Amino acid sequence: MRAIIRERAVALESWRPMEFWRRRPETALALVVGAMAVAGLVLRLVELAERPLHHDESIDAWYSWKFLNNSYEGYDPVYHGPLRFYLTAGLFWVFGESPTTARMVAVLAGVGMIVLPWFLRRSLGPVVTLVACAVLAFSPIALYMTRLGREDSLTAFITLAMMVVIVRFLERPRLLLPSLFGFLLAAGFAVKETTFIVVFIFGGFFLALLAEQATRQARAGNAEPPPGNFAGDLEGQRRGLAGWGWMLPAGLVPMGVAFGFSGYYDVEVFLTLGIYGVLMVMVVLMLASPQSIWELPVVRAVRRVPGWGWVLAAAVFLLFFALWFTEFFRHPEGFADGFTEGITYWRGEQDTNRGSEPWHYYLYTIPLYEYLVCILAVIGTVHAFRNPTFVGKFMVWTAVASWFSYSWASERFPWLALHIVVPMAVLAGYGVAVLWRARRKLWMLPVWAVVAGLVATTLFFGWRTNYVNQRDPRELLTQVHTTHDYVNTVHRIEALNAYSQSIGEGPVTVAVDTAISVPNLWYFRDYEARTWTDSDSAQHASADFVLALAESNIAASAPDLANHHTTRMPLRDWWAPQFESYHDGWFSGWAQWMVDREVWNPATLGSTDFDLSVSPRALDLEARMAAAGR
């Protein structure tokens, strides 16, 4: 508000855009960010319901529907935290159940991410802020993953919000900011267990920062640090408070030792993280005494909030953590489960490597879609090293640590790439700022031409990925998607059931193989004439429509299906790129895929198929419905 009042104290000479930007910079910045948020919302809503619900999307939608109907059983780490089920159930209650409302939490979180860099505008500057907002609004991965009804969009929003709160707190420690951080941290755990990775990344950063500040303070002879903040203070930067110094070796050497030890001796993840934490604390204690640590700038910022403020923050965290994990105090055992079950499940899954992707999966996937962001982020990282600020260091650390952590974790999927792209968006803003400062130099003309071409192709690929090929298995972001053949089958059954009941012939019955319960749990969630079957009870399978996994061979083994008409169709399809085996003649193959999505190993295009068996009665009903023009 104070900034707006100061702006309004300066008279406008005209309403020309450049004049308005010069006289009303914060208002103009807010208008542009708001316009990008509106554009981002529109892009995320366009054709949102056209793509069938992904396997995971249908599970999330089904659990949300169960909560709405009071049949939700409580937190299950296999399906991640319960908070987005509550939020989606609320949208179902207000707007009805549909693929659009099932994806609206992801959409709104994506739009929220577009706005969040605005709250760092005084630390980032207008150019970095606008570019970060633009990347989060229009980049192919950010757009795709915030149109996908999984939990990753909401998790990324919460993580970025926590980063904003941390920076704002260090700029000006305020009493309620720790409580806001506690609320966001509880929300992160209640959405997805990757919040453990976020805590690991943030914790490693601040331990390394303490080591770096201790080293600088010791080299300065324990001089009194300047008062105030160090997050965006230029004077603090000149005094070395935001310099890199010992920060990288202090943080990365213990990390290398811990993970090298883990790899050599094949120890479990908790021991690895424990070794890393102990080594980091040892580094800090070697560089500074407990008394000097008490006077480090980051610790001084923490001390500016009274103790009861931190007690309040802990209480807020525990309150909302308990509220969400106990299903609003209906299942008290969920409180302890929230602390133990998620991390226990994740530890058990570390050796599974679901998806079977190699460790360098993101090194292929992200640059293929975000090559412009990667280039600009590299420039921005160099700038952050040469012109260190707290925010710059925080973003570089988070981007590098996220890339490393999600590559090290055994499950590697395209939606996790969003968590790497978010801090890279800010680094890309730093890269554009570097180019913008050199804009008047003659050699920048070809650079701007190249950047313009890369922007145009990125927007084109984003449009093609999100609207033209939004469920095409040849897109690396698709990852085993439900087919239109299946959804058309559901619509066919629903239409025939409505016609049958309208002419008084009763409901159309459906039997579904439990082997393909997903996505049938969602699509037939309130279909009263649905029953379940499996290969063991196939002898008794009988219905107007029988949907069975092709491998179950129910259609051939059930006597009651002898007169049914059976068709085999794909339920989910995929492409297994096999990155690790693709190194011969790689440039031509990648280039061909970039241009027309022609895959280099078509033999790995495949699908999970289902058999649709239709009874003579249903076929007769369809013939009569067609004759009646229905």
Side-chain angles (χ1 to χ4, degrees):
M1 182 62 69
R2 292 195 301 271
I4 295 176
I5 293 174
R6 287 198 300 270
E7 288 180 354
R8 290 178 178 174
V10 181
L12 277 175
E13 297 178 2
S14 69
W15 286 95
R16 291 179 299 178
M18 293 305 298
E19 172 68 11
F20 186 83
W21 185 276
R22 187 170 67 88
R23 300 283 185 175
R24 305 281 194 272
E26 289 222 349
T27 303
L29 183 63
L31 290 174
V32 176
V33 172
M36 283 195 286
V38 172
L41 176 62
V42 172
L43 288 174
R44 283 156 178 78
L45 291 177
V46 171
E47 296 187 3
L48 186 62
E50 292 301 310
R51 186 176 69 246
L53 288 183
H54 179 274
H55 177 281
D56 293 355
E57 287 183 296
S58 68
I59 293 176
D60 284 14
W62 181 62
Y63 271 104
S64 302
W65 176 81
K66 291 186 67 169
F67 178 76
L68 182 63
N69 289 275
N70 296 315
S71 59
Y72 176 60
E73 296 91 351
Y75 170 60
D76 184 343
V78 177
Y79 305 111
H80 307 299
L83 178 56
R84 84 250 192 228
F85 301 150
Y86 307 152
L87 297 174
T88 303
L91 292 172
F92 285 167
W93 183 70
V94 175
F95 299 106
E97 304 150 19
S98 70
T100 297
T101 50
R103 290 171 171 145
M104 279 305 298
V105 170
V107 167
L108 295 176
V111 175
M113 278 196 293
I114 299 171
V115 177
L116 282 176
W118 186 80
F119 294 96
L120 298 178
R121 62 196 180 280
R122 293 172 189 171
S123 298
L124 299 177
V127 174
V128 180
T129 300
L130 288 177
V131 173
C133 293
V135 170
L136 296 174
F138 307 120
S139 83
I141 289 178
L143 183 56
Y144 191 94
M145 296 309 164
T146 55
R147 286 165 50 87
L148 189 69
R150 283 181 47 86
E151 67 280 350
D152 292 279
S153 179
L154 184 56
T155 304
F157 167 78
I158 292 170
T159 302
L160 183 56
M162 286 195 290
M163 297 176 73
V164 170
V165 170
I166 289 172
V167 174
R168 293 295 295 268
F169 176 81
L170 293 174
E171 286 178 345
R172 184 183 175 187
R174 298 183 183 181
L175 181 63
L176 295 181
L177 285 178
S179 295
L180 177 57
F181 184 84
F183 170 81
L184 291 170
L185 185 61
F189 281 117
V191 174
K192 193 170 188 179
E193 293 76 15
T194 51
T195 304
F196 286 105
I197 293 179
V198 174
V199 171
F200 163 72
I201 291 172
F202 288 179
F205 172 77
F206 279 101
L207 286 172
L209 183 64
L210 284 173
E212 184 268 337
Q213 290 183 349
T215 302
R216 286 187 172 276
Q217 186 166 300
R219 293 174 64 186
N222 292 317
E224 179 73 12
N229 73 79
F230 63 90
D233 182 19
L234 294 178
E235 180 65 23
Q237 295 171 33
R238 286 193 291 270
R239 290 174 182 266
L241 289 173
W244 287 95
W246 283 71
M247 185 173 180
L248 283 179
L252 295 181
V253 171
M255 185 181 293
V257 172
F259 285 97
F261 180 85
S262 171
Y264 185 80
Y265 289 102
D266 193 26
V267 300
E268 68 169 20
V269 58
F270 282 116
L271 181 57
T272 302
L273 298 181
I275 293 172
Y276 174 64
V278 170
L279 289 175
M280 286 298 301
V281 172
M282 290 175 61
V283 168
V284 174
L285 293 177
M286 288 172 59
L287 296 173
S289 66
Q291 183 177 1
S292 61
I293 291 175
W294 195 248
E295 296 299 326
L296 295 178
V298 66
V299 179
R300 288 166 62 88
V302 172
R303 290 169 53 199
R304 290 181 64 182
V305 172
W308 68 268
W310 293 103
V311 172
L312 177 62
V316 168
F317 169 79
L318 292 173
L319 171 64
F320 284 98
F321 189 93
L323 187 72
W324 291 323
F325 277 99
T326 62
E327 197 182 341
F328 304 96
F329 304 115
R330 287 188 286 184
H331 300 287
E333 68 278 4
F335 180 75
D337 292 343
F339 286 105
T340 60
E341 292 297 318
I343 194 67
T344 301
Y345 171 76
W346 181 66
R347 179 180 62 179
E349 289 294 303
Q350 272 299 101
D351 296 330
T352 304
N353 189 14
R354 290 194 301 170
S356 303
E357 301 294 355
W359 66 267
H360 49 281
Y361 171 73
Y362 300 111
L363 292 175
Y364 286 97
T365 304
I366 294 177
L368 284 171
Y369 288 95
E370 305 290 356
Y371 44 84
L372 175 59
V373 171
C374 289
I375 294 171
L376 294 175
V378 169
I379 298 174
T381 300
V382 173
H383 169 79
F385 272 94
R386 299 181 63 181
N387 303 275
T389 65
F390 172 78
V391 181
K393 286 194 296 184
F394 196 16
M395 295 300 167
V396 170
W397 181 282
T398 304
V400 174
S402 296
W403 207 309
F404 172 82
S405 299
Y406 288 106
S407 297
W408 170 70
S410 67
E411 293 188 12
R412 306 175 188 97
F413 290 106
W415 40 80
L416 294 176
L418 177 64
H419 306 290
I420 302 173
V421 170
V422 168
M424 288 178 61
V426 178
L427 295 178
Y430 283 121
V432 171
V434 171
L435 299 180
W436 182 252
R437 282 193 288 271
R439 65 188 180 278
R440 300 185 186 280
K441 297 181 179 180
L442 184 61
W443 57 267
M444 282 299 297
L445 289 176
V447 173
W448 286 123
V450 171
V451 170
L454 294 177
V455 169
T457 56
T458 298
L459 293 175
F460 168 76
F461 290 137
W463 165 77
R464 184 172 67 177
T465 300
N466 282 279
Y467 305 106
V468 180
N469 296 342
Q470 56 180 309
R471 62 143 317 280
D472 193 317
R474 296 173 299 173
E475 291 287 350
L476 294 176
L477 303 184
T478 298
Q479 193 72 32
V480 191
H481 219 295
T482 307
T483 65
H484 284 291
D485 290 324
Y486 167 78
V487 176
N488 291 339
T489 298
V490 174
H491 294 161
R492 174 187 176 185
I493 294 171
E494 291 174 341
L496 189 61
N497 182 60
Y499 172 74
S500 178
Q501 300 212 52
S502 70
I503 62 175
E505 296 200 12
V508 170
T509 57
V510 177
V512 181
D513 186 358
T514 56
I516 52 172
S517 59
V518 179
N520 287 290
L521 283 168
W522 162 255
Y523 280 104
F524 290 103
R525 62 193 176 279
D526 51 7
Y527 196 92
E528 295 181 357
R530 182 213 64 201
T531 59
W532 294 100
T533 187
D534 55 40
S535 56
D536 294 332
S537 60
Q539 295 294 318
H540 308 288
S542 179
D544 292 316
F545 287 87
V546 178
L547 287 73
L549 181 68
E551 296 176 1
S552 299
N553 203 28
I554 290 177
S557 59
D560 291 342
L561 302 185
N563 295 324
H564 283 50
H565 180 268
T566 300
T567 305
R568 182 158 294 182
M569 290 183 287
L571 174 65
R572 292 180 289 267
D573 50 14
W574 67 79
W575 170 42
Q578 295 180 350
F579 296 116
E580 68 277 10
S581 64
Y582 190 66
H583 296 291
D584 297 330
W586 61 271
F587 180 79
S588 60
W590 284 121
Q592 191 67 39
W593 180 85
M594 289 284 288
V595 172
D596 58 12
R597 292 302 190 257
E598 179 179 330
V599 303
W600 55 82
N601 49 357
T604 62
L605 283 167
S607 64
T608 298
D609 298 332
F610 73 100
D611 288 331
L612 174 64
S613 300
V614 186
S615 70
R617 173 180 178 265
L619 294 173
D620 178 65
L621 279 171
E622 285 187 319
R624 283 186 281 162
M625 183 173 69
R630 298 283 291 274

